[in-house]
Amino acid sequence: MGFPKGFLWGGATAANQYEGAYNVDGRGLSNVDLLPVGEDRRAVVFGEKKMFDFEDGYFYPAQNAIDGYHRYKEDIALFAELGFKTYRMSIAWTRIFPNGDEPEPNEKGLQYYEDVFNECKKYGIEPLVTISHFDTPMYLVEKYGSWRSREMIGYFEKYCRTILTRYKGLVKYWLVFNEINMILHAPFMGAGVYVGDLTEKEATQVKYQAAHHELVANASAVKIAHEIDPENQVGCMLAGGKHYPYSCNPKDVLVSQLRDREDYFFSDVQARGEYPTFMLKKFENEGINVIFEEGDKELLKENTIDFISFSYYMSRVGTADPEIAERTTGNVFDSVKNPYLPSSEWGWQIDPLGMRIILIELYDRYQKPLFIVENGLGAMDIPDENGYVEDDYRIEYMADHIKEIRDAIDLDGIPVLGYTMWGCIDIVSAGTGEMKKRYGFIYVDRDNLGNGTLKRSKKKSFDWYKKVIESNGEIL
Ligand code: BG6
């Protein structure tokens, strides 16, 4: 009973939030480099404000992030000390193909990740690699309008083929697009798609066409991965978090159900290999014309993913009643506030039981193994003079969520492959660009404006998580 032998405990980061070194060793500019801290960030993230280059008067935290590019050895050594079985990280497309369309890849970028994977191997840590964590070369954004254009698929395939070939034998677990459903909510951050000059109807059309291109590219990536090495395991990655009906009024139930389906649309295609009927109906009813090319349907059908991965931070609430106005922030988009749940300092609703609920829901829907690749508490840590943080609130958050995963395994019989908590080392927040929104077991001395020594130090939760892993989830 409890967590199975071989359960992949670990932590997760993403290139643009961790590496920095945005212009080092030939790296090209990426959409995610251009998200400033401050009040304009949301508009840029949501594709409403155009920011295709660095502008004066803004601070861009991804430029240097926590300098993981130069400090990964120290960091992986700490992950090894924690006992990580896996480390989820992403490859920056622009380190491999700086513009996205070069005939040959950038050797320095390829070598960098090879070194990272070898460093993991040294400690027996299995890499879990996201091919695109919100990451699109700006050159392709400017030239083609990013994923709205079909051209992207070929460039992405080439990128996938290059890394899958190079890292054969070093990496077995792959995720294609991080939180693919974010393209509907945060199109510029999620997929480099700027929609600020479009009407709402045009923007919807562009977003679904771009989503189709990503779904086709996802199927291609699965195909290439399986061809190159049948041992490869490829997952989709969904921003999870169910909508609960605000009340048992059937109207609230329906609103919540329909809202969830917008997100499940992506994993439905990736796991089942075809567009769900409800989405085809929506396109028909709303006059959305998604262009399929010959062969798309077959490609999608024949190349479904091996497992379902998702992030889970919170549940959401749906209501049909416009009078219920109290809302709260959440992972990228906000939600009606749930009166039964406490919230984090950033207003995200804390709901451990929701972890079990979403595990059940996803397994019932797909019957594929599940992998929780993001979960955690973004909090304002206050370190002592040695950089030590008494983060009992984080320990409590995680213990409560991990217990629910254990119940889902023990009581519901759900196959769960692993758990990588988000931001195992403090990194730049994707939503706000802040450094003070911290998730890690490892504190990093850096502030919102990039000041600090970047020194790493262990928080209280470091020793706690180490014991969790050592005991395979018995001691929480
Ligand atoms: C997910 C992303 O949306 O949530 C991560 O995949 C992100 O990139 C994480 O960092 C937490 O969100 P935030 O806004 O607190 O950084």
Side-chain angles (χ1 to χ4, degrees):
M1 292 291 268
F3 291 94
K5 202 166 163 275
F7 188 80
L8 290 167
W9 295 100
T13 62
N16 76 90
Q17 295 169 257
Y18 170 72
E19 288 174 7
Y22 79 104
N23 57 359
V24 171
D25 288 342
R27 184 186 180 281
L29 195 64
S30 186
N31 61 328
V32 279
D33 299 334
L34 295 165
L35 311 176
V37 176
E39 56 181 29
D40 285 341
R41 185 178 180 91
R42 265 181 91 78
V44 179
V45 162
F46 283 60
E48 292 155 5
K49 180 177 168 60
K50 193 169 187 171
M51 198 167 274
F52 282 9
D53 208 343
F54 298 120
E55 290 180 18
D56 290 344
Y58 290 99
F59 177 69
Y60 297 91
Q63 286 186 338
N64 301 308
I66 60 156
D67 197 31
Y69 190 76
H70 296 111
R71 294 166 194 250
Y72 70 91
K73 286 192 181 166
E74 178 188 351
D75 297 339
I76 293 173
L78 286 165
F79 301 158
E81 195 182 329
L82 274 158
F84 276 17
K85 310 291 179 213
T86 188
Y87 169 40
R88 177 182 175 223
M89 43 146 319
S90 76
I91 293 180
W93 186 349
T94 52
R95 286 203 193 282
I96 311 300
F97 289 100
N99 283 342
D101 70 345
E102 290 84 350
E104 297 300 328
N106 172 26
E107 177 53 33
K108 285 194 173 151
L110 282 172
Q111 189 59 51
Y112 167 69
Y113 293 107
E114 191 173 318
D115 294 346
V116 171
F117 300 142
N118 277 321
E119 198 65 18
C120 289
K121 201 172 167 189
K122 187 165 120 188
Y123 298 106
I125 298 174
E126 182 83 52
L128 164 61
V129 177
T130 316
I131 296 178
S132 173
H133 195 115
F134 297 153
D135 213 301
T136 312
M138 272 315 286
Y139 178 81
L140 299 182
V141 170
E142 299 224 44
K143 184 154 182 202
Y144 298 108
S146 193
W147 284 98
R148 78 180 71 204
S149 164
R150 179 105 198 168
E151 298 285 333
M152 292 296 283
I153 299 174
Y155 294 124
F156 189 73
E157 284 171 346
K158 184 162 180 190
Y159 163 52
C160 289
R161 194 174 291 285
T162 304
I163 55 174
L164 284 154
T165 305
R166 175 75 171 235
Y167 306 129
K168 181 176 175 180
L170 275 177
V171 180
K172 176 177 161 199
Y173 291 98
W174 298 90
L175 306 176
V176 187
F177 290 104
N178 179 63
E179 294 188 336
I180 188 166
N181 48 324
M182 280 300 177
I183 194 171
L184 298 181
H185 311 288
F188 186 73
M189 179 174 80
V193 175
Y194 166 69
V195 292
D197 51 358
L198 304 179
T199 63
E200 204 182 321
K201 188 164 172 17
E202 288 165 342
T204 305
Q205 164 71 35
V206 162
K207 285 191 257 182
Y208 278 106
Q209 187 64 58
H212 178 68
H213 295 147
E214 285 201 340
L215 289 167
V216 171
N218 173 82
S220 267
V222 173
K223 184 166 189 273
I224 295 166
H226 289 156
E227 275 168 10
I228 288 176
D229 188 350
E231 292 288 302
N232 277 330
Q233 292 288 300
V234 189
C236 61
M237 199 304 196
L238 183 74
K242 229 189 120 40
H243 283 79
Y244 300 156
Y246 189 78
S247 75
C248 52
N249 181 335
K251 288 181 182 167
D252 285 354
V253 178
L254 184 67
V255 163
S256 308
Q257 193 177 41
L258 297 183
R259 190 49 205 78
D260 279 345
R261 282 206 312 191
E262 281 177 30
D263 291 323
Y264 292 148
F265 151 61
F266 292 88
S267 37
D268 283 359
V269 179
Q270 292 169 302
R272 295 174 178 154
E274 58 193 24
Y275 272 56
T277 316
F278 67 81
M279 195 45 80
L280 297 174
K281 247 328 184 208
K282 174 187 168 82
F283 293 165
E284 188 183 319
N285 292 340
E286 296 179 20
I288 299 167
N289 178 27
V290 173
I291 299 166
F292 278 61
E293 278 196 4
E294 212 187 313
D296 283 1
K297 280 193 182 155
E298 294 72 19
L299 186 78
L300 293 174
K301 192 68 197 169
E302 287 158 17
N303 299 286
T304 52
I305 40 83
D306 301 306
F307 63 92
I308 310 277
S309 85
F310 63 98
S311 58
Y312 174 76
Y313 294 93
M314 80 211 72
S315 52
R316 304 178 196 274
V317 175
T319 176
D321 182 353
E323 298 294 304
I324 296 172
E326 198 186 347
R327 300 188 69 84
T328 185
T329 53
N331 188 7
V332 176
F333 51 97
D334 62 359
S335 157
V336 169
K337 188 157 169 32
N338 186 330
Y340 298 99
L341 298 177
S343 300
S344 77
E345 287 162 295
W346 272 263
W348 295 21
Q349 306 186 89
I350 300 174
D351 178 14
L353 200 56
M355 173 69 93
R356 183 168 165 207
I357 293 169
I358 188 155
L359 282 163
I360 294 174
E361 176 137 315
L362 288 172
Y363 192 62
D364 279 358
R365 200 169 176 104
Y366 301 118
Q367 291 88 43
K368 296 217 186 220
L370 304 177
F371 205 141
I372 300 126
V373 296
E374 286 186 33
N375 171 242
L377 180 69
M380 210 127 42
D381 293 336
I382 312 232
D384 68 14
E385 64 281 6
N386 300 314
Y388 183 77
V389 181
E390 293 243 11
D391 54 348
D392 293 291
Y393 38 89
R394 181 166 294 110
I395 294 172
E396 188 189 343
Y397 176 102
M398 292 189 59
D400 289 350
H401 283 75
I402 293 172
K403 272 180 209 143
E404 296 302 330
I405 303 172
R406 192 166 62 193
D407 278 357
I409 294 170
D410 281 348
L411 306 177
D412 307 310
I414 295 178
V416 186
L417 296 172
Y419 174 85
T420 56
M421 72 76 84
W422 179 249
C424 41
I425 179 165
D426 293 346
I427 49 179
V428 174
S429 156
T432 68
E434 292 165 301
M435 229 3 252
K436 70 172 182 197
K437 189 178 187 195
R438 297 169 183 274
Y439 287 85
F441 305 120
I442 301 162
Y443 184 84
V444 177
D445 178 28
R446 188 184 195 241
D447 72 12
N448 281 355
L449 293 176
N451 306 303
T453 61
L454 292 170
K455 184 173 170 292
R456 279 68 167 145
S457 52
K458 297 173 195 170
K459 303 181 194 174
K460 185 172 180 184
S461 56
F462 187 99
D463 288 328
W464 172 80
Y465 195 50
K466 189 174 172 184
K467 287 202 188 79
V468 172
I469 299 179
E470 255 165 26
S471 66
N472 201 24
E474 282 300 307
I475 304 173
L476 288 175

